[in-house]
Amino acid sequence: MANFYLVEDLADATVGGTVSVTGAEAKHVATVARTRVGERLLVGNGRGLVVEGAAESVAAAEVVVRVEAVRVQDAPAPAIRLVQALAKGDRDELAIQAATELGVDGVVPWQAERSVSRWSGPKLEKGRERWSSIVREAAKQSMRPWLPEVGALITTREIAAAAATQRVLVLEPSARHPLTSVESDGRDLLLVVGPEGGIAPAELEHLQAAGAELVRLGDEVLRTSTAGPAAIAVLNARLGRW
């Protein structure tokens, strides 16, 4: 299977032409993957364009690929974004990694009331950069034409405000309606997952009052690192994305 690399400034490509991979990606092709001339590569721009071809020249500074096929894929609709509460350890990072592999269209960090982990000061930008790196690598591993966007840290009030234009689904073990009952109404989805201690009652009330829907996955209570990816798999099937 050909390895997949991201070149975000790749605007277009033509069969018979060439595309160049430079920077850290080229170094990975040449020194980590040890790609040889003639081996096949996939190169995408993270915005739906994917080209396939053979390596014509390989160096740590630049890899040139002769284009043999070009594919342009539309963004999935409706879009699914995961609002993931910050969690201790690496549980929030595990969640966004798996969510990316499963096709999520964006991830948004949420400073929930019960979040043990806190992003403030220098940790704010560092945390978002860390998430962006995780999402990028997961997108490459899963060979995704579209690179999910990592949003800015969001508040509960901002999630509630988003319910005016998007469908907000809040995972809650005590919810009456199962996620498997959700049918598309055409709106983009925000899937909200709380931290280890769950979503605080006041937050749930605020979100419900704004129009958010509480849904449950099943009888089991999943970790915050598992709940989001499991829900995305369900939604992919329910909405015909798979």
Side-chain angles (χ1 to χ4, degrees), residues 50-65:
V50 178
V51 303
E52 181 178 359
E56 192 166 88
S57 64
V58 179
E62 181 183 29
V63 175
V64 177
V65 179

Side-chain angles (χ1 to χ4, degrees), residues 1-224:
M1 182 180 294
N3 289 330
F4 183 83
Y5 298 94
L6 279 171
V7 178
E8 283 90 336
D9 60 358
L10 180 63
D12 53 37
T14 305
V15 173
T18 63
V19 297
S20 293
V21 181
T22 58
E25 291 288 81
K27 186 175 181 180
H28 190 280
V29 175
T31 64
V32 179
R34 298 184 180 278
T35 301
R36 299 291 180 260
V37 170
E39 292 185 9
R40 304 186 70 75
L41 301 174
L42 293 171
V43 182
N45 67 357
R47 301 185 306 280
L49 173 66
V50 178
V51 303
E52 181 178 359
E56 192 166 88
S57 64
V58 179
E62 181 183 29
V63 175
V64 177
V65 179
R66 180 66 62 180
V67 179
E68 298 174 5
V70 178
R71 174 167 59 99
V72 178
Q73 182 170 315
D74 293 335
I80 302 173
R81 290 196 298 156
L82 172 64
V83 176
Q84 174 64 50
L86 300 182
K88 63 183 179 181
D90 61 352
R91 288 176 185 164
D92 50 10
E93 296 178 355
L94 290 171
I96 63 167
Q97 178 182 18
T100 299
E101 293 173 8
L102 290 165
V104 78
D105 300 295
V107 296
V108 184
W110 173 33
Q111 190 79 71
E113 183 179 320
R114 292 177 175 172
S115 288
V116 175
S117 176
R118 295 279 160 177
W119 286 5
S120 59
K123 287 186 68 175
L124 186 61
E125 188 58 33
K126 185 177 179 181
R128 190 175 180 188
E129 289 176 357
R130 171 67 178 163
W131 277 33
S132 295
S133 176
I134 291 169
V135 164
R136 192 174 192 277
E137 291 307 308
K140 288 166 57 179
Q141 186 278 328
S142 52
M143 299 186 177
R144 290 194 49 182
W146 286 87
L147 179 65
E149 179 184 358
V150 179
L153 185 69
I154 200 170
T155 64
T156 303
R157 186 179 297 275
E158 289 170 326
I159 298 172
T165 57
Q166 301 173 68
R167 190 173 184 182
V168 178
L169 302 177
V170 181
L171 290 188
E172 168 54 40
S174 64
R176 208 176 142 195
H177 300 291
L179 183 63
T180 51
S181 68
V182 169
E183 295 185 4
S184 176
D185 63 2
R187 288 181 293 169
D188 289 341
L189 302 178
L190 277 188
L191 177 67
V192 181
V193 177
E196 296 93 328
I199 301 174
E203 290 175 319
L204 287 174
E205 291 175 9
H206 188 183
L207 293 172
Q208 279 188 290
E213 303 168 51
L214 303 191
V215 291
R216 58 181 170 80
L217 275 168
D219 295 332
E220 297 79 11
V221 178
L222 303 182
R223 287 187 179 275
T224 189

